[in-house]
Amino acid sequence: MSALNLIPVFMVGLLGSVHCVGMCGGIVSAFSAAPVAARPFPVAVMTQRAATDGMARVLAYNTGRIASYMTAGALAGGLAGGARTLAGLTAVQAGGYWLANLMLVILGLYLMDAWRGLAKLEALGQGLWQRARPLMRFIVPIDRPLKMLALGALWGWLPCGMVYSVLMTAMFTGTKAEGAIVMLAFGLGTLPMLLAMGMAGERLRAALQTRAVRVGAGLIVLAFGLLGLVRAATGGQGSWLDALCITGGVH
């Protein structure tokens, strides 16, 4: 997968992070900037070196979160690559390209609240999260960046339809390395919004959760998916659409 192919993955993370604000924004802002009494878990009292300390916590949390995304991407890419090798079918990867772009269409509709199909996928992932959640007891109180790193690593496995949709792209790269790179690009796309959320708090969160913002972001993600499907249907290999579409791996 070329660097150019990663542009839409990064953009999906950037635009889809209006959804991350709802799921992750509250917790990261709570641990980095909120008064102690407002935090959802027992956190040790911090002195007012707030800006530097808060940024360290936000960066640690997001590093852990993106590391979990990359791990999931490597697992998904490795599994799909092994299955393709055993089957000897490159058509599996071609079919995956169609499916990955279809998932972007579904994600766009989900961000717009036009269709909530991905919410059912999130519900299926609750079982995994319920198993991981008890590990929280080992990291509270969240009193230093290292524990925020561990919190982010756990939070990266939270059931999320947006992450699942991008994992479909990672899966059909067919290799562990490319699967991890796809999820790194996605995670970096979500980073600006969550860094801002961690430092700016609830006022920004409320603004980003407005319907106009969600619909606008959803429409652009939807357009990425539709362009990808058009490219697949017309065989526009090597065209200008490559810059805007998720394309197959280099294999």
Side-chain angles (χ1 to χ4, degrees):
M1 180 170 289
S2 71
L4 194 62
N5 302 143
L6 295 175
I7 291 174
V9 178
F10 176 86
M11 291 302 297
V12 166
L14 183 64
L15 295 163
S17 55
V18 298
H19 176 64
C20 297
V21 164
M23 290 190 70
C24 304
I27 190 164
V28 71
S29 61
F31 283 127
S32 61
V36 173
R39 292 179 185 134
F41 297 102
V43 183
V45 177
M46 294 183 291
T47 62
Q48 286 300 352
R49 295 178 303 168
T52 302
D53 192 49
M55 179 57 77
R57 290 166 182 268
V58 173
L59 286 172
Y61 168 83
N62 283 288
T63 298
R65 179 178 61 85
I66 293 173
S68 289
Y69 292 166
M70 292 178 68
T71 301
L75 290 172
L79 284 173
R84 189 189 63 189
T85 300
L86 288 173
L89 295 173
T90 55
V92 171
Q93 196 167 3
Y97 167 68
W98 279 83
L99 187 55
N101 282 284
L102 181 60
M103 287 296 289
L104 287 190
V105 171
I106 293 171
L107 174 59
L109 295 172
Y110 178 60
L111 291 173
M112 295 162 60
D113 287 324
W115 186 63
R116 301 288 296 173
L118 278 182
K120 296 178 181 178
L121 195 58
E122 287 180 350
L124 291 175
Q126 284 293 338
L128 176 63
W129 173 240
Q130 290 305 323
R131 290 179 180 276
R133 194 171 183 178
L135 296 174
M136 290 287 296
R137 71 179 185 273
F138 293 113
I139 59 175
V140 293
I142 312 293
D143 53 2
R144 55 183 183 271
L146 187 60
K147 289 188 175 182
M148 282 295 283
L149 180 72
L151 177 67
L154 271 178
W155 216 258
W157 297 99
L158 187 75
C160 174
M162 185 174 76
V163 173
Y164 294 159
S165 65
V166 182
L167 267 176
M168 193 66 64
T169 300
M171 180 181 295
F172 289 103
T173 60
T175 73
K176 293 178 183 178
E178 288 189 355
I181 289 170
V182 165
M183 295 309 292
L184 173 62
F186 166 73
L188 290 176
T190 66
L191 192 57
M193 196 78 77
L194 284 178
L195 284 179
M197 258 306 306
M199 301 311 294
E202 289 300 310
R203 184 175 299 179
L204 178 61
R205 185 182 182 193
L208 292 171
Q209 288 292 287
T210 61
R211 178 158 179 77
V213 171
R214 289 184 66 93
V215 168
L219 282 172
I220 298 173
V221 173
L222 176 66
F224 278 130
L226 291 174
L227 281 172
L229 293 175
V230 168
R231 180 186 177 281
T234 59
Q237 200 100 16
S239 72
W240 62 272
L241 284 175
D242 284 357
L244 300 175
C245 301
I246 288 175
T247 61
V250 296
H251 306 284

